[in-house]
Amino acid sequence: MSEVVEAPSRPASRNYVAGEWRPAASGDTYEKRNPMRPSELVATVASSDEQDVEAAVAAADGAFPEWAALPMAKRASYLTAAAAALDARTEEIARDMTAEVGKPLRAARGETARAAQILRYAASQAFMPVGEHYEQSATGAMVSTRRRPLGPVGLITPWNFPIAIPVWKLAPALVYGNTVVLKLAYEAPLTGLHVAEAFAEAGLPAGVLNVLTGRGSTVGAAIVSDPRVCAISFTGSVATGHGVREEATKRNKRVQLELGGHNPLIVLADADLDRAAEAAYAGAFWSAGQKCTATRRIYVQDEAYDAFKERLLARIDRGKVGDPTDPETEVGPIVNEKQFDEIMEAIERGKAEGAQVLVGGERTHDEAYLIAPTVFEGVRDDAFLSCEEVFGPVTSLYRFSDLDEAMRRANAVEFGLSAAIFTSNLPAATRFQNEAQAGLIHVNSQTAGAEVHVPFGGIKSSGFGPHEQGRAALEFYTDVVTVYVDP
């Protein structure tokens, strides 16, 4: 039985399995609506179940031997061709992304371009060393290492970066010789299906990449539990990630988790306050704060606090909140009603615990899931807002006296994804780089943002397993073997 009630206004989107576009085996579908205009139907999408996972994993398993046997440069050529296909449909992808998750159009265009760049970077790995050579100590005969792919891998991705994250997982998986079953986010099916279209256009062999839509509790769980799937890479909530890790590790699978963050920005009195305020605004409110690397806590030294606050509030006042299809919009809607309600409840809880709202805190549109950029002040260090991630346009301001205090408070939470400092003092910046408890450390830049050719990932409760992107991906998607050759 279908999860939808109304008749669809466009044909159902289909899964991509074994090189074919297929409806869900059950025939079930679900509706995806526009968070800016919830009455608007964006698409009717295949609602997959365990039957579809079985078909996708079987296809990946069957395609693995031939794919792994290809020279890496040949595998890379498919990634390069897929990148060109993404470039050719950038505008279409960006508009689908804006319609289904509410990301401002200019950010959606940038994310699509980034996905193509990730594919090209991964393809470049075909020309990097594939192992190391040594001499055996007793005889001088050869001993070497080499990397081998794992097999079929399962990738479970979130809605907030609906093309960049699927691509930064699948690109290294494919170039290193694995086959893939990709489960797209329930809230972002259209954008991810463009990736499947790009690889189909590139002529990727059937079964190498399989893409499914549907609920994580059904599709994701079936991927994790399938014994043919050798590894799981998951990005999402802490609670769900812990469940994935528990289920996968007991089945002896390799696991990579990218989870939440509660990212601090420290502003010292010697900082360029205009730059710091701009970075705080971008880090906290771009993409409506729906980033795991978003700035949640802003610590400002006493001497600069009032001047910084004035600049930040002025920047918020100049910002454009509204329709994400407007090229001027910086802050669009929350992805769906459930997320919207959770953020509004968190704002009310912050007030109830004694914090003051400096700006924002309210809905700004009768229909759209729009929340004004919200800044709290007077938040206790043990309060909800100081300890738990609110996945929306909400941040808090704190005073501190010296760097010792700032570091202690910034590091106090269980998360360790991203952290930033603004200062013109080299010793302070160096100390921050050495002591900040985060996997991503920024000096004089915002907490959000990452390059495609360097590792991305958190520590503490923000991540588990090898980091993503850059050469770090090699550690997750391959096994290293040592080969002794005696004459």
Side-chain angles (χ1 to χ4, degrees), residues 14 22 42 186 200 223 256 359:
R14 298 188 173 201
R22 303 179 181 179
V42 175
Y186 189 81
I223 293 171
Q256 177 185 66
V359 67

Side-chain angles (χ1 to χ4, degrees), residues 189-459:
L190 295 186
T191 306
L193 288 170
H194 280 291
V195 178
E197 290 175 4
F199 275 99
E201 184 177 312
L204 188 73
V208 173
L209 173 64
N210 306 275
V211 183
L212 302 174
T213 59
R215 293 196 178 277
S217 56
T218 302
V219 182
I223 293 171
V224 172
S225 64
D226 193 296
R228 294 165 294 182
V229 174
C230 300
I232 298 291
S233 180
F234 170 90
T235 298
S237 71
V238 174
T240 303
H242 287 171
V244 167
R245 180 178 63 188
E246 181 178 351
E247 184 66 23
T249 54
K250 78 180 183 182
R251 296 174 184 274
N252 203 33
K253 299 179 190 289
R254 189 169 297 185
V255 182
Q256 177 185 66
L257 305 178
E258 294 296 343
L259 307 175
H262 205 305
N263 313 297
L265 168 64
I266 294 173
V267 182
L268 295 182
D270 58 28
D272 181 331
L273 297 185
D274 290 326
R275 283 182 63 195
E278 184 65 36
Y281 176 82
F285 304 123
W286 282 0
S287 295
Q290 296 172 117
K291 300 178 181 180
C292 56
T293 53
T295 305
R296 307 297 181 196
R297 296 171 292 145
I298 306 171
Y299 296 94
V300 186
Q301 198 161 19
D302 287 329
E303 302 95 303
Y305 186 89
D306 292 335
F308 174 86
K309 180 169 75 170
E310 179 182 357
R311 286 167 170 80
L312 178 60
L313 296 181
R315 179 63 182 88
I316 292 171
D317 188 59
R318 295 193 305 271
K320 178 70 180 292
V321 180
D323 190 334
T325 62
D326 182 341
E328 300 298 316
T329 294
E330 297 172 316
V331 182
I334 305 305
V335 68
N336 60 30
E337 186 175 20
K338 179 177 182 293
Q339 293 286 130
F340 174 88
D341 288 344
E342 288 179 358
I343 296 165
M344 293 304 297
E345 289 169 5
I347 290 170
E348 292 305 312
R349 181 172 175 180
K351 295 177 186 177
E353 292 184 352
Q356 295 79 49
V357 176
L358 288 175
V359 67
E362 73 278 346
R363 186 173 194 162
T364 64
H365 193 280
D366 289 341
E367 182 185 11
Y369 302 132
L370 284 169
I371 299 175
T374 302
V375 180
F376 277 90
E377 188 178 46
V379 182
R380 301 190 319 272
D381 283 355
D382 62 350
F384 170 77
L385 291 173
S386 296
C387 302
E388 299 294 332
E389 181 181 39
V390 178
F391 209 66
V394 180
T395 193
S396 302
L397 274 176
Y398 307 80
R399 292 178 179 269
F400 71 88
S401 59
D402 57 28
L403 187 56
D404 286 342
E405 178 191 351
M407 293 299 303
R408 175 179 54 78
R409 295 169 71 187
N411 288 336
V413 300
E414 67 171 302
F415 301 100
L417 181 53
S418 182
I421 190 170
F422 271 79
T423 181
S424 59
N425 183 283
L426 180 58
T430 301
R431 178 182 174 189
F432 182 78
Q433 293 171 61
N434 291 334
E435 298 181 15
Q437 294 176 6
L440 306 170
I441 295 173
H442 297 262
V443 177
N444 293 328
S445 61
Q446 59 163 300
T447 58
E451 295 280 347
V452 303
H453 58 293
V454 293
F456 177 94
I459 60 174

Side-chain angles (χ1 to χ4, degrees), residues 80-91 93 112-117 120 198:
T80 303
L86 291 184
D87 283 338
R89 53 168 58 90
T90 293
E91 192 64 21
I93 296 170
T112 304
R114 180 184 179 188
Q117 184 185 30
R120 292 190 175 98

Side-chain angles (χ1 to χ4, degrees), residues 62-238:
F64 173 68
E66 287 190 18
W67 180 248
L70 283 180
M72 195 183 300
K74 178 62 176 175
R75 297 196 295 261
S77 69
Y78 292 105
L79 274 65
T80 303
L86 291 184
D87 283 338
R89 53 168 58 90
T90 293
E91 192 64 21
E92 181 186 356
I93 296 170
R95 291 193 176 277
D96 277 348
M97 191 187 309
T98 295
E100 68 179 357
V101 301
K103 182 165 289 193
L105 189 57
R106 59 181 180 176
R109 289 172 177 142
E111 184 180 333
T112 304
R114 180 184 179 188
Q117 184 185 30
I118 292 167
L119 287 171
R120 292 190 175 98
Y121 169 78
S124 75
Q125 298 306 291
F127 305 98
M128 299 295 286
V130 296
E132 299 173 324
H133 285 275
Y134 305 86
E135 283 188 347
Q136 294 185 42
S137 58
T139 66
M142 186 178 73
V143 59
S144 63
T145 64
R146 63 182 62 182
R147 292 279 180 172
R148 297 198 302 209
L150 307 177
V153 298
L155 313 179
I156 302 172
T157 61
W159 52 263
N160 59 331
F161 285 90
I163 194 165
I165 292 180
V167 168
W168 87 39
K169 290 181 186 293
L170 68 83
L174 292 177
V175 81
Y176 293 133
N178 303 280
T179 52
V180 169
V181 178
L182 169 63
K183 190 273 173 194
L184 298 173
Y186 189 81
E187 296 292 343
L190 295 186
T191 306
L193 288 170
H194 280 291
V195 178
E197 290 175 4
F199 275 99
E201 184 177 312
L204 188 73
V208 173
L209 173 64
N210 306 275
V211 183
L212 302 174
T213 59
R215 293 196 178 277
S217 56
T218 302
V219 182
I223 293 171
V224 172
S225 64
D226 193 296
R228 294 165 294 182
V229 174
C230 300
I232 298 291
S233 180
F234 170 90
T235 298
S237 71
V238 174

